[in-house]
Amino acid sequence: MWKEAQINIFYLYLAARSTMITVLAGGTGSAKFVRGLSKIVPTDEITIISNVGDNVELLGLYICPDIDTIMYLFAGLLDQRRGWGVANDTFKALNMLREYGFETWFKLGDKDLATHIQRTFLLKQGKTLSEVTEVLCRSLGVRAKIIPSSNSKIETKILTRKGKIHFQEFWVKRKAKDRVLAVIYEGIEQAEPSPGVIESILEADKIFFSPANPVTSIGPIINVPGVKNALIETKATVVAITPIIGKAPVSGPAGKLMKGLGYDVSPLGVAQIYSDLIDVFVLDTVDARLKSKIEQLGIKCIATSTLMANLVDEKRLAREILEHI
Ligand code: FO1
């Protein structure tokens, strides 16, 4: 009798328990997918594991572009046209810094600067990056959980013929014009997942590899020691959405980086990178002919329109994927 009651309580708990969704996220493409998802699923059911490989120290400040993109998105502050920074920001401080002789190729707006000042201040007080992110999110009224993939310093460096440069220098300062010889996630071997990363993978019902650069956005997350094992162990359905339509990425330098590393610049190339970790791959209808090749990797494949030009597209894509899985 008591046993039966216990079982019933357990099933009631399962029925009442909300769906837990974990999203591995980089910058612009991820933000679009997350925005669509957050219009369909309650925000407090979403955990974002944010890439930290793009983080960069400039002007004495610690800047975390991918964390900030998702944080500004949830705070309603994101510049949706650019996909980064604060909407309607001004650049007065940066212009003044140029007068003083500072390098200003990385466009830090005035409001955005306030975030980096507060983050750097809190880090200098001894808080971890996860703790600082929590403080920043709370201050901006963000309810979704945003976790940096690691509190250890991981920096994505690009090896070019001129030497090894930071990803932001490669992408923003040099406009991705150098040939890519190798990509190094500096510091990753010694890094640990930050608190909550492994739990949010093991306890999730659904995990999304958002449509982001597999080399410099998702790569530095899944290569943090322990993360791949958790993705293999989890009972969640793991779904990746293509960042590439046809032969080109929707945005960013994914094509150049994948080519440099010898990957096929196509949805198939992305599926090959993720093949051991995912159950489902979502590609665009224009690439539907690749479905059988991807399914030969042991992955279920869904073809739909993946281009997200507006909020209607973003919501439709998120809803369609949720219905399919
Ligand atoms: N991207 C650019 O192309 N040019 C910039 O000047 C630039 C400044 C910037 C400032 C703050 C921030 O959070 C992001 C910024 N980004 C800029 C985006 C960023 O370089 C990348 O798109 C992401 O790191 C990739 O996810």
Side-chain angles (χ1 to χ4, degrees), residues 95-158:
N95 290 339
M96 189 71 168
L97 285 160
R98 187 181 301 122
E99 298 294 318
Y100 288 129
F102 285 96
E103 280 199 77
T104 54
W105 51 268
F106 203 67
K107 299 284 171 264
L108 295 167
D110 296 327
K111 289 183 184 170
D112 194 25
L113 271 170
T115 300
H116 312 313
I117 291 170
Q118 168 71 333
R119 173 184 294 120
T120 308
F121 174 75
L122 294 172
L123 286 171
K124 282 199 174 144
Q125 281 190 340
K127 287 193 167 32
T128 64
L129 187 58
S130 329
E131 289 166 345
V132 173
T133 305
E134 227 179 292
V135 173
L136 294 173
C137 284
R138 209 178 313 128
S139 306
L140 296 180
V142 173
R143 292 188 58 205
K145 206 190 271 176
I146 304 175
I147 321 179
S149 60
S150 178
N151 284 327
S152 321
K153 191 169 174 183
I154 301 169
E155 278 191 357
T156 301
K157 299 275 175 76
I158 313 296

Short mmCIF file of all heavy atoms in Angstrom, two decimals, residues 95-158:
data_model
loop_
_atom_site.label_atom_id
_atom_site.label_comp_id
_atom_site.label_asym_id
_atom_site.label_seq_id
_atom_site.Cartn_x
_atom_site.Cartn_y
_atom_site.Cartn_z
N ASN A 95 35.32 56.61 -28.41
CA ASN A 95 35.92 57.70 -29.21
C ASN A 95 36.95 58.47 -28.39
O ASN A 95 38.00 58.85 -28.89
CB ASN A 95 34.83 58.65 -29.72
CG ASN A 95 33.98 57.97 -30.79
OD1 ASN A 95 34.42 56.98 -31.39
ND2 ASN A 95 32.77 58.44 -30.99
N MET A 96 36.63 58.68 -27.12
CA MET A 96 37.56 59.39 -26.24
C MET A 96 38.82 58.54 -26.01
O MET A 96 39.93 59.05 -26.00
CB MET A 96 36.85 59.69 -24.91
CG MET A 96 37.61 60.60 -23.99
SD MET A 96 37.62 62.29 -24.66
CE MET A 96 38.24 63.18 -23.25
N LEU A 97 38.60 57.23 -25.85
CA LEU A 97 39.74 56.33 -25.65
C LEU A 97 40.65 56.34 -26.87
O LEU A 97 41.87 56.24 -26.75
CB LEU A 97 39.24 54.90 -25.34
CG LEU A 97 38.69 54.72 -23.93
CD1 LEU A 97 37.79 53.49 -23.83
CD2 LEU A 97 39.82 54.60 -22.91
N ARG A 98 40.05 56.49 -28.07
CA ARG A 98 40.86 56.57 -29.29
C ARG A 98 41.76 57.82 -29.23
O ARG A 98 42.93 57.76 -29.60
CB ARG A 98 39.95 56.62 -30.53
CG ARG A 98 40.74 56.52 -31.83
CD ARG A 98 39.87 56.60 -33.07
NE ARG A 98 38.88 55.54 -33.12
CZ ARG A 98 37.57 55.74 -33.20
NH1 ARG A 98 37.09 56.98 -33.24
NH2 ARG A 98 36.74 54.74 -33.25
N GLU A 99 41.20 58.93 -28.73
CA GLU A 99 41.99 60.17 -28.58
C GLU A 99 43.22 59.92 -27.70
O GLU A 99 44.27 60.51 -27.89
CB GLU A 99 41.15 61.27 -27.92
CG GLU A 99 39.92 61.70 -28.70
CD GLU A 99 40.28 62.39 -30.01
OE1 GLU A 99 41.22 63.20 -30.00
OE2 GLU A 99 39.63 62.07 -31.03
N TYR A 100 43.04 59.05 -26.70
CA TYR A 100 44.15 58.75 -25.80
C TYR A 100 45.12 57.72 -26.38
O TYR A 100 46.07 57.32 -25.72
CB TYR A 100 43.61 58.22 -24.45
CG TYR A 100 42.94 59.29 -23.61
CD1 TYR A 100 41.67 59.09 -23.08
CD2 TYR A 100 43.58 60.50 -23.32
CE1 TYR A 100 41.04 60.06 -22.30
CE2 TYR A 100 42.96 61.47 -22.55
CZ TYR A 100 41.71 61.25 -22.05
OH TYR A 100 41.11 62.21 -21.29
N GLY A 101 44.83 57.24 -27.59
CA GLY A 101 45.77 56.34 -28.25
C GLY A 101 45.47 54.86 -28.07
O GLY A 101 46.29 54.01 -28.45
N PHE A 102 44.31 54.54 -27.46
CA PHE A 102 43.97 53.11 -27.31
C PHE A 102 43.50 52.54 -28.65
O PHE A 102 42.96 53.26 -29.48
CB PHE A 102 42.83 52.93 -26.29
CG PHE A 102 43.26 53.10 -24.87
CD1 PHE A 102 43.12 54.33 -24.21
CD2 PHE A 102 43.82 52.04 -24.17
CE1 PHE A 102 43.52 54.49 -22.90
CE2 PHE A 102 44.22 52.20 -22.85
CZ PHE A 102 44.08 53.43 -22.22
N GLU A 103 43.70 51.22 -28.81
CA GLU A 103 43.16 50.52 -29.99
C GLU A 103 41.65 50.37 -29.79
O GLU A 103 41.21 49.94 -28.72
CB GLU A 103 43.78 49.14 -30.11
CG GLU A 103 45.17 49.17 -30.72
CD GLU A 103 45.54 47.79 -31.25
OE1 GLU A 103 45.04 47.41 -32.32
OE2 GLU A 103 46.30 47.10 -30.56
N THR A 104 40.88 50.69 -30.82
CA THR A 104 39.42 50.66 -30.65
C THR A 104 38.73 49.84 -31.75
O THR A 104 37.60 50.13 -32.13
CB THR A 104 38.86 52.10 -30.63
OG1 THR A 104 39.30 52.76 -31.82
CG2 THR A 104 39.29 52.88 -29.42
N TRP A 105 39.43 48.81 -32.25
CA TRP A 105 38.82 47.98 -33.31
C TRP A 105 37.66 47.15 -32.79
O TRP A 105 36.78 46.75 -33.55
CB TRP A 105 39.87 47.09 -33.99
CG TRP A 105 40.72 46.28 -33.05
CD1 TRP A 105 41.92 46.66 -32.52
CD2 TRP A 105 40.44 44.98 -32.51
NE1 TRP A 105 42.41 45.67 -31.69
CE2 TRP A 105 41.53 44.62 -31.68
CE3 TRP A 105 39.40 44.06 -32.65
CZ2 TRP A 105 41.59 43.41 -30.99
CZ3 TRP A 105 39.46 42.85 -31.97
CH2 TRP A 105 40.55 42.55 -31.16
N PHE A 106 37.61 46.88 -31.50
CA PHE A 106 36.49 46.12 -30.93
C PHE A 106 35.49 47.14 -30.41
O PHE A 106 35.76 47.86 -29.45
CB PHE A 106 37.01 45.21 -29.82
CG PHE A 106 36.11 44.03 -29.54
CD1 PHE A 106 35.96 43.02 -30.48
CD2 PHE A 106 35.44 43.91 -28.33
CE1 PHE A 106 35.13 41.92 -30.23
CE2 PHE A 106 34.63 42.82 -28.07
CZ PHE A 106 34.47 41.82 -29.02
N LYS A 107 34.35 47.21 -31.06
CA LYS A 107 33.40 48.31 -30.81
C LYS A 107 32.60 48.10 -29.52
O LYS A 107 31.56 47.44 -29.51
CB LYS A 107 32.44 48.45 -32.01
CG LYS A 107 33.16 48.78 -33.31
CD LYS A 107 33.59 50.24 -33.35
CE LYS A 107 34.50 50.55 -34.51
NZ LYS A 107 35.93 50.52 -34.18
N LEU A 108 33.12 48.70 -28.46
CA LEU A 108 32.45 48.59 -27.16
C LEU A 108 31.61 49.84 -26.93
O LEU A 108 32.15 50.95 -26.81
CB LEU A 108 33.50 48.42 -26.06
CG LEU A 108 34.32 47.12 -26.13
CD1 LEU A 108 35.52 47.18 -25.21
CD2 LEU A 108 33.45 45.91 -25.83
N GLY A 109 30.31 49.66 -26.88
CA GLY A 109 29.41 50.79 -26.67
C GLY A 109 29.45 51.25 -25.22
O GLY A 109 29.97 50.55 -24.34
N ASP A 110 28.86 52.43 -24.98
CA ASP A 110 28.90 53.01 -23.63
C ASP A 110 28.18 52.14 -22.60
O ASP A 110 28.69 51.89 -21.51
CB ASP A 110 28.29 54.41 -23.66
CG ASP A 110 29.12 55.35 -24.54
OD1 ASP A 110 30.35 55.17 -24.59
OD2 ASP A 110 28.53 56.22 -25.21
N LYS A 111 26.96 51.69 -22.96
CA LYS A 111 26.20 50.86 -22.01
C LYS A 111 26.88 49.50 -21.84
O LYS A 111 26.96 48.97 -20.73
CB LYS A 111 24.77 50.65 -22.52
CG LYS A 111 23.92 51.91 -22.45
CD LYS A 111 22.52 51.60 -22.90
CE LYS A 111 21.69 52.87 -22.92
NZ LYS A 111 20.38 52.66 -23.57
N ASP A 112 27.39 48.96 -22.96
CA ASP A 112 28.08 47.67 -22.92
C ASP A 112 29.31 47.77 -22.00
O ASP A 112 29.58 46.86 -21.21
CB ASP A 112 28.49 47.32 -24.36
CG ASP A 112 28.92 45.88 -24.52
OD1 ASP A 112 28.49 45.04 -23.72
OD2 ASP A 112 29.69 45.59 -25.46
N LEU A 113 30.01 48.90 -22.07
CA LEU A 113 31.20 49.10 -21.23
C LEU A 113 30.85 48.95 -19.74
O LEU A 113 31.65 48.42 -18.97
CB LEU A 113 31.80 50.49 -21.48
CG LEU A 113 32.84 50.58 -22.61
CD1 LEU A 113 33.17 52.03 -22.92
CD2 LEU A 113 34.12 49.81 -22.25
N ALA A 114 29.66 49.42 -19.38
CA ALA A 114 29.27 49.33 -17.97
C ALA A 114 29.24 47.86 -17.52
O ALA A 114 29.67 47.54 -16.40
CB ALA A 114 27.89 49.97 -17.77
N THR A 115 28.77 46.98 -18.41
CA THR A 115 28.76 45.54 -18.08
C THR A 115 30.18 45.04 -17.83
O THR A 115 30.44 44.32 -16.86
CB THR A 115 28.12 44.75 -19.27
OG1 THR A 115 26.80 45.22 -19.46
CG2 THR A 115 28.12 43.25 -19.00
N HIS A 116 31.10 45.44 -18.72
CA HIS A 116 32.48 44.93 -18.59
C HIS A 116 33.18 45.52 -17.36
O HIS A 116 34.00 44.85 -16.74
CB HIS A 116 33.29 45.22 -19.86
CG HIS A 116 32.55 44.85 -21.11
ND1 HIS A 116 31.92 43.63 -21.24
CD2 HIS A 116 32.29 45.53 -22.26
CE1 HIS A 116 31.32 43.59 -22.42
NE2 HIS A 116 31.52 44.72 -23.05
N ILE A 117 32.84 46.75 -17.02
CA ILE A 117 33.42 47.36 -15.81
C ILE A 117 32.93 46.61 -14.57
O ILE A 117 33.72 46.22 -13.70
CB ILE A 117 33.07 48.88 -15.74
CG1 ILE A 117 33.81 49.64 -16.85
CG2 ILE A 117 33.41 49.45 -14.36
CD1 ILE A 117 33.37 51.08 -17.05
N GLN A 118 31.62 46.36 -14.50
CA GLN A 118 31.05 45.65 -13.35
C GLN A 118 31.61 44.23 -13.27
O GLN A 118 31.98 43.75 -12.20
CB GLN A 118 29.51 45.65 -13.45
CG GLN A 118 28.79 44.73 -12.50
CD GLN A 118 28.85 45.19 -11.04
OE1 GLN A 118 29.77 45.90 -10.62
NE2 GLN A 118 27.86 44.79 -10.27
N ARG A 119 31.71 43.54 -14.43
CA ARG A 119 32.23 42.16 -14.43
C ARG A 119 33.68 42.14 -13.94
O ARG A 119 34.04 41.34 -13.06
CB ARG A 119 32.16 41.56 -15.84
CG ARG A 119 32.84 40.19 -15.92
CD ARG A 119 32.86 39.62 -17.33
NE ARG A 119 31.53 39.30 -17.79
CZ ARG A 119 30.96 39.83 -18.86
NH1 ARG A 119 31.63 40.70 -19.60
NH2 ARG A 119 29.76 39.49 -19.21
N THR A 120 34.50 43.05 -14.48
CA THR A 120 35.92 43.06 -14.12
C THR A 120 36.09 43.38 -12.64
O THR A 120 36.90 42.76 -11.95
CB THR A 120 36.66 44.11 -15.00
OG1 THR A 120 36.33 43.84 -16.37
CG2 THR A 120 38.16 44.04 -14.82
N PHE A 121 35.27 44.31 -12.15
CA PHE A 121 35.31 44.70 -10.74
C PHE A 121 35.00 43.49 -9.84
O PHE A 121 35.72 43.20 -8.88
CB PHE A 121 34.29 45.83 -10.53
CG PHE A 121 34.12 46.25 -9.10
CD1 PHE A 121 35.08 47.02 -8.46
CD2 PHE A 121 32.98 45.88 -8.38
CE1 PHE A 121 34.92 47.41 -7.14
CE2 PHE A 121 32.81 46.26 -7.06
CZ PHE A 121 33.78 47.02 -6.44
N LEU A 122 33.94 42.76 -10.18
CA LEU A 122 33.53 41.60 -9.37
C LEU A 122 34.55 40.47 -9.46
O LEU A 122 34.82 39.79 -8.47
CB LEU A 122 32.14 41.11 -9.79
CG LEU A 122 30.99 42.09 -9.52
CD1 LEU A 122 29.69 41.59 -10.14
CD2 LEU A 122 30.78 42.33 -8.03
N LEU A 123 35.13 40.26 -10.65
CA LEU A 123 36.16 39.22 -10.79
C LEU A 123 37.37 39.56 -9.92
O LEU A 123 37.95 38.70 -9.28
CB LEU A 123 36.60 39.07 -12.26
CG LEU A 123 35.61 38.37 -13.21
CD1 LEU A 123 36.08 38.49 -14.66
CD2 LEU A 123 35.44 36.89 -12.85
N LYS A 124 37.71 40.86 -9.90
CA LYS A 124 38.88 41.29 -9.10
C LYS A 124 38.62 41.12 -7.61
O LYS A 124 39.54 40.97 -6.82
CB LYS A 124 39.23 42.75 -9.43
CG LYS A 124 39.97 42.84 -10.74
CD LYS A 124 40.73 44.12 -10.92
CE LYS A 124 41.55 44.05 -12.19
NZ LYS A 124 41.65 45.31 -12.89
N GLN A 125 37.33 41.13 -7.23
CA GLN A 125 36.98 40.88 -5.82
C GLN A 125 37.10 39.40 -5.47
O GLN A 125 36.90 39.01 -4.34
CB GLN A 125 35.55 41.30 -5.56
CG GLN A 125 35.39 42.80 -5.38
CD GLN A 125 33.98 43.14 -4.89
OE1 GLN A 125 33.06 42.35 -5.03
NE2 GLN A 125 33.83 44.31 -4.32
N GLY A 126 37.32 38.55 -6.48
CA GLY A 126 37.52 37.12 -6.22
C GLY A 126 36.34 36.24 -6.58
O GLY A 126 36.37 35.04 -6.33
N LYS A 127 35.29 36.83 -7.15
CA LYS A 127 34.15 36.00 -7.55
C LYS A 127 34.51 35.21 -8.81
O LYS A 127 35.36 35.65 -9.60
CB LYS A 127 32.93 36.89 -7.85
CG LYS A 127 32.27 37.49 -6.63
CD LYS A 127 30.92 38.07 -7.02
CE LYS A 127 30.02 38.42 -5.89
NZ LYS A 127 30.56 38.87 -4.63
N THR A 128 33.86 34.05 -8.98
CA THR A 128 34.09 33.27 -10.21
C THR A 128 33.25 33.87 -11.33
O THR A 128 32.30 34.63 -11.07
CB THR A 128 33.66 31.81 -10.03
OG1 THR A 128 32.24 31.78 -9.80
CG2 THR A 128 34.38 31.13 -8.88
N LEU A 129 33.56 33.47 -12.58
CA LEU A 129 32.79 33.99 -13.72
C LEU A 129 31.31 33.58 -13.62
O LEU A 129 30.43 34.37 -13.97
CB LEU A 129 33.40 33.49 -15.04
CG LEU A 129 32.79 34.09 -16.30
CD1 LEU A 129 32.90 35.61 -16.34
CD2 LEU A 129 33.44 33.49 -17.55
N SER A 130 31.02 32.36 -13.10
CA SER A 130 29.60 31.97 -12.95
C SER A 130 28.91 32.87 -11.94
O SER A 130 27.77 33.29 -12.17
CB SER A 130 29.40 30.55 -12.41
OG SER A 130 30.37 29.68 -12.77
N GLU A 131 29.60 33.15 -10.82
CA GLU A 131 28.99 34.02 -9.80
C GLU A 131 28.74 35.41 -10.37
O GLU A 131 27.69 36.01 -10.16
CB GLU A 131 29.89 34.08 -8.56
CG GLU A 131 29.93 32.79 -7.77
CD GLU A 131 31.07 32.72 -6.75
OE1 GLU A 131 32.02 33.54 -6.82
OE2 GLU A 131 31.03 31.81 -5.91
N VAL A 132 29.73 35.91 -11.10
CA VAL A 132 29.59 37.26 -11.68
C VAL A 132 28.44 37.28 -12.68
O VAL A 132 27.63 38.23 -12.69
CB VAL A 132 30.92 37.67 -12.37
CG1 VAL A 132 30.74 38.97 -13.12
CG2 VAL A 132 32.05 37.77 -11.36
N THR A 133 28.35 36.22 -13.50
CA THR A 133 27.27 36.16 -14.51
C THR A 133 25.91 36.17 -13.81
O THR A 133 24.98 36.84 -14.25
CB THR A 133 27.44 34.89 -15.39
OG1 THR A 133 28.76 34.92 -15.94
CG2 THR A 133 26.44 34.85 -16.52
N GLU A 134 25.83 35.46 -12.69
CA GLU A 134 24.58 35.41 -11.93
C GLU A 134 24.21 36.81 -11.42
O GLU A 134 23.07 37.24 -11.52
CB GLU A 134 24.77 34.48 -10.73
CG GLU A 134 23.65 33.49 -10.55
CD GLU A 134 23.92 32.59 -9.36
OE1 GLU A 134 24.87 31.77 -9.46
OE2 GLU A 134 23.20 32.71 -8.35
N VAL A 135 25.22 37.53 -10.91
CA VAL A 135 24.97 38.89 -10.39
C VAL A 135 24.50 39.80 -11.52
O VAL A 135 23.50 40.54 -11.38
CB VAL A 135 26.26 39.48 -9.74
CG1 VAL A 135 26.06 40.94 -9.34
CG2 VAL A 135 26.68 38.65 -8.53
N LEU A 136 25.19 39.73 -12.67
CA LEU A 136 24.83 40.59 -13.80
C LEU A 136 23.41 40.28 -14.27
O LEU A 136 22.60 41.19 -14.50
CB LEU A 136 25.81 40.40 -14.97
CG LEU A 136 27.26 40.85 -14.75
CD1 LEU A 136 28.13 40.44 -15.93
CD2 LEU A 136 27.36 42.35 -14.55
N CYS A 137 23.10 38.97 -14.39
CA CYS A 137 21.76 38.56 -14.86
C CYS A 137 20.68 39.05 -13.88
O CYS A 137 19.65 39.57 -14.29
CB CYS A 137 21.69 37.05 -15.01
SG CYS A 137 22.53 36.45 -16.49
N ARG A 138 20.95 38.88 -12.59
CA ARG A 138 19.97 39.31 -11.59
C ARG A 138 19.73 40.82 -11.71
O ARG A 138 18.61 41.29 -11.69
CB ARG A 138 20.45 38.94 -10.18
CG ARG A 138 19.30 38.69 -9.23
CD ARG A 138 19.76 38.28 -7.84
NE ARG A 138 20.77 37.25 -7.84
CZ ARG A 138 21.93 37.33 -7.19
NH1 ARG A 138 22.25 38.39 -6.50
NH2 ARG A 138 22.80 36.33 -7.23
N SER A 139 20.82 41.58 -11.86
CA SER A 139 20.70 43.04 -11.96
C SER A 139 19.85 43.44 -13.16
O SER A 139 19.15 44.44 -13.12
CB SER A 139 22.07 43.69 -12.11
OG SER A 139 22.91 43.28 -11.07
N LEU A 140 19.93 42.65 -14.24
CA LEU A 140 19.20 43.00 -15.47
C LEU A 140 17.85 42.29 -15.56
O LEU A 140 17.16 42.37 -16.57
CB LEU A 140 20.04 42.68 -16.71
CG LEU A 140 21.36 43.47 -16.85
CD1 LEU A 140 22.09 43.04 -18.11
CD2 LEU A 140 21.11 44.97 -16.87
N GLY A 141 17.47 41.58 -14.48
CA GLY A 141 16.15 40.93 -14.43
C GLY A 141 16.04 39.70 -15.31
O GLY A 141 14.95 39.34 -15.74
N VAL A 142 17.18 39.05 -15.59
CA VAL A 142 17.16 37.85 -16.44
C VAL A 142 16.84 36.62 -15.59
O VAL A 142 17.52 36.35 -14.61
CB VAL A 142 18.53 37.67 -17.14
CG1 VAL A 142 18.60 36.34 -17.89
CG2 VAL A 142 18.79 38.84 -18.09
N ARG A 143 15.79 35.87 -15.98
CA ARG A 143 15.37 34.71 -15.20
C ARG A 143 15.95 33.40 -15.70
O ARG A 143 16.02 32.43 -14.96
CB ARG A 143 13.84 34.64 -15.16
CG ARG A 143 13.22 35.79 -14.37
CD ARG A 143 11.75 35.59 -14.18
NE ARG A 143 11.46 34.34 -13.49
CZ ARG A 143 10.32 33.69 -13.61
NH1 ARG A 143 9.38 34.13 -14.38
NH2 ARG A 143 10.11 32.56 -12.93
N ALA A 144 16.33 33.37 -16.98
CA ALA A 144 16.93 32.13 -17.50
C ALA A 144 18.29 31.94 -16.83
O ALA A 144 18.93 32.91 -16.42
CB ALA A 144 17.11 32.23 -19.01
N LYS A 145 18.69 30.66 -16.73
CA LYS A 145 19.99 30.40 -16.12
C LYS A 145 21.05 30.43 -17.21
O LYS A 145 20.95 29.66 -18.18
CB LYS A 145 19.93 29.03 -15.44
CG LYS A 145 20.93 28.92 -14.29
CD LYS A 145 21.03 27.52 -13.80
CE LYS A 145 20.02 27.20 -12.72
NZ LYS A 145 20.11 25.78 -12.35
N ILE A 146 22.03 31.32 -17.07
CA ILE A 146 23.13 31.36 -18.04
C ILE A 146 24.40 30.94 -17.31
O ILE A 146 24.81 31.59 -16.34
CB ILE A 146 23.30 32.78 -18.64
CG1 ILE A 146 21.99 33.25 -19.29
CG2 ILE A 146 24.45 32.80 -19.67
CD1 ILE A 146 22.02 34.68 -19.81
N ILE A 147 24.99 29.84 -17.76
CA ILE A 147 26.19 29.32 -17.08
C ILE A 147 27.36 29.37 -18.06
O ILE A 147 27.27 28.82 -19.16
CB ILE A 147 26.02 27.84 -16.64
CG1 ILE A 147 24.62 27.56 -16.10
CG2 ILE A 147 27.07 27.46 -15.63
CD1 ILE A 147 24.43 26.10 -15.69
N PRO A 148 28.48 29.99 -17.68
CA PRO A 148 29.66 29.90 -18.53
C PRO A 148 30.11 28.44 -18.58
O PRO A 148 30.02 27.75 -17.56
CB PRO A 148 30.71 30.75 -17.81
CG PRO A 148 30.04 31.36 -16.63
CD PRO A 148 28.73 30.69 -16.41
N SER A 149 30.59 27.97 -19.73
CA SER A 149 30.96 26.55 -19.82
C SER A 149 32.03 26.20 -18.78
O SER A 149 32.09 25.08 -18.30
CB SER A 149 31.46 26.21 -21.22
OG SER A 149 32.59 27.00 -21.52
N SER A 150 32.89 27.17 -18.47
CA SER A 150 33.94 26.93 -17.47
C SER A 150 34.30 28.24 -16.78
O SER A 150 34.18 29.32 -17.37
CB SER A 150 35.18 26.37 -18.18
OG SER A 150 36.21 26.19 -17.25
N ASN A 151 34.73 28.10 -15.51
CA ASN A 151 35.25 29.28 -14.81
C ASN A 151 36.75 29.41 -15.03
O ASN A 151 37.36 30.40 -14.62
CB ASN A 151 34.95 29.20 -13.31
CG ASN A 151 33.50 29.52 -13.03
OD1 ASN A 151 32.90 30.34 -13.73
ND2 ASN A 151 32.91 28.88 -12.04
N SER A 152 37.33 28.39 -15.66
CA SER A 152 38.77 28.46 -15.97
C SER A 152 38.92 29.31 -17.23
O SER A 152 37.99 29.42 -18.03
CB SER A 152 39.34 27.08 -16.24
OG SER A 152 38.79 26.12 -15.36
N LYS A 153 40.13 29.86 -17.41
CA LYS A 153 40.36 30.71 -18.59
C LYS A 153 40.60 29.81 -19.81
O LYS A 153 41.56 29.03 -19.85
CB LYS A 153 41.57 31.62 -18.33
CG LYS A 153 41.71 32.69 -19.36
CD LYS A 153 42.74 33.71 -18.91
CE LYS A 153 43.02 34.71 -19.99
NZ LYS A 153 44.06 35.65 -19.61
N ILE A 154 39.71 29.92 -20.80
CA ILE A 154 39.90 29.21 -22.07
C ILE A 154 39.89 30.28 -23.15
O ILE A 154 38.97 31.10 -23.20
CB ILE A 154 38.73 28.22 -22.34
CG1 ILE A 154 38.62 27.19 -21.22
CG2 ILE A 154 38.90 27.55 -23.70
CD1 ILE A 154 37.36 26.35 -21.26
N GLU A 155 40.91 30.33 -23.99
CA GLU A 155 40.92 31.33 -25.06
C GLU A 155 41.10 30.64 -26.40
O GLU A 155 42.06 29.88 -26.59
CB GLU A 155 42.05 32.34 -24.85
CG GLU A 155 41.67 33.41 -23.86
CD GLU A 155 42.66 34.57 -23.82
OE1 GLU A 155 43.69 34.53 -24.53
OE2 GLU A 155 42.39 35.52 -23.08
N THR A 156 40.21 30.90 -27.32
CA THR A 156 40.34 30.31 -28.65
C THR A 156 41.35 31.13 -29.46
O THR A 156 41.19 32.34 -29.63
CB THR A 156 38.96 30.27 -29.36
OG1 THR A 156 38.08 29.49 -28.56
CG2 THR A 156 39.08 29.67 -30.74
N LYS A 157 42.40 30.43 -29.91
CA LYS A 157 43.44 31.10 -30.70
C LYS A 157 43.46 30.48 -32.10
O LYS A 157 43.24 29.28 -32.26
CB LYS A 157 44.82 30.91 -30.04
CG LYS A 157 44.92 31.50 -28.63
CD LYS A 157 45.28 32.98 -28.67
CE LYS A 157 45.27 33.64 -27.32
NZ LYS A 157 46.41 33.35 -26.49
N ILE A 158 43.75 31.31 -33.07
CA ILE A 158 43.81 30.85 -34.46
C ILE A 158 45.27 30.90 -34.91
O ILE A 158 45.91 31.96 -34.81
CB ILE A 158 42.94 31.75 -35.39
CG1 ILE A 158 41.55 32.02 -34.78
CG2 ILE A 158 42.86 31.15 -36.79
CD1 ILE A 158 40.65 30.82 -34.61
#
